[in-house]
Amino acid sequence: ALVRESNSFCTLLVPAMWRECFLALVTAITLHGVQGASQTEHASLVQVFNSLGGPRWFVKDGWSTNVSTIGADACTWFGIFCNSTGSVVDVQLRRNNLRGSAAVAEFSGLQGLETLDLSYNAISGELHSSVFSLPRLRRVQMSRNALTTVPRSLLRGNFTAPLEEVYLERNAFVCPLPTWDSLPSRTATVWRDFNASRCQTT
């Protein structure tokens, strides 16, 4: 609870205050004895950092110094939030200058992930298929990026993640997009901003 509540508070602040809030959160986590993320989760996050322009992120505390260190505790990195057992449950990297192809950003190692927020960046292409098969993922926020393709598993309604909310408005989807009536019922239920998700003619 400490991690999730603090996470929600930090993301409400302006970017200039993120660093201070994050460092305070790291201290709180340490005092409460949260275990570190697994090596599998660490490897997955390293891959995301390398795929989405990590060295040029606005805030990368922890990432820039430990990204190549085997065994480094990813729970202390900026934007990464873990539960009391050390599993990564929340990735919050909105407005952080993430750039690159979403198709090569691999999230399959984050088996405990519940929330993924990469909104307000410049991520292009189509989200990697691994995202929509994560067993605990409930919320995906990818609004205001440069995605060109709606995730196929979302369009088909055959995703296995227990999704509750997906946000994709203000991207660069290539037309045509499906009509609301043609969406599978599972997709229509979770794609919360469908009416605001526009496409661009080529």
Side-chain angles (χ1 to χ4, degrees):
L2 168 69
V3 175
R4 302 304 295 273
E5 291 172 6
S6 300
N7 163 39
S8 298
F9 173 75
C10 286
T11 56
L12 293 175
L13 301 176
V14 297
M17 299 178 66
W18 283 352
R19 179 186 179 92
E20 289 74 13
C21 184
F22 173 70
L23 292 177
L25 177 58
V26 169
T27 301
I29 290 173
T30 301
L31 291 175
H32 281 72
V34 174
Q35 301 175 27
S38 70
Q39 290 188 9
T40 300
E41 291 172 317
H42 176 276
S44 187
L45 292 170
V46 167
Q47 201 274 342
V48 170
F49 181 85
N50 290 332
S51 300
L52 298 179
R56 291 188 291 180
W57 291 0
F58 294 143
V59 185
K60 50 182 180 290
D61 292 341
W63 297 82
S64 58
T65 55
N66 294 315
V67 74
S68 61
T69 304
I70 301 299
D73 184 8
C75 290
T76 64
W77 298 358
F78 173 78
I80 303 302
F81 301 91
C82 300
N83 61 19
S84 59
T85 64
S87 179
V88 175
V89 295
D90 201 340
V91 174
Q92 293 278 346
L93 293 171
R94 62 163 43 201
R95 298 183 187 273
N96 204 34
N97 200 38
L98 277 65
R99 296 175 177 272
S101 173
V104 297
E106 172 67 69
F107 292 89
S108 63
L110 305 180
Q111 292 292 296
L113 189 65
E114 298 174 9
T115 300
L116 176 65
D117 188 347
L118 305 182
S119 57
Y120 290 84
N121 285 295
I123 302 170
S124 59
E126 178 184 357
L127 276 174
H128 195 283
S129 59
S130 65
V131 172
F132 292 95
S133 62
L134 294 174
R136 296 183 182 274
L137 187 65
R138 300 186 181 281
R139 187 172 190 270
V140 176
Q141 174 56 276
M142 291 295 299
S143 300
R144 299 185 182 245
N145 273 284
L147 299 177
T148 54
T149 305
V150 177
R152 281 165 284 186
S153 60
L154 181 64
L155 285 178
R156 297 168 182 165
N158 62 357
F159 50 87
T160 58
L163 291 172
E164 296 175 359
E165 300 178 342
V166 176
Y167 297 91
L168 298 171
E169 60 104 6
R170 297 292 182 91
N171 272 282
F173 296 128
V174 176
C175 291
L177 285 179
T179 63
W180 175 259
D181 292 340
S182 70
L183 291 175
S185 59
R186 295 185 71 211
T187 300
T189 299
V190 302
W191 192 349
R192 298 299 180 88
D193 61 351
F194 175 83
N195 291 329
S197 300
R198 308 302 183 192
C199 63
Q200 301 179 2
T201 57
T202 55

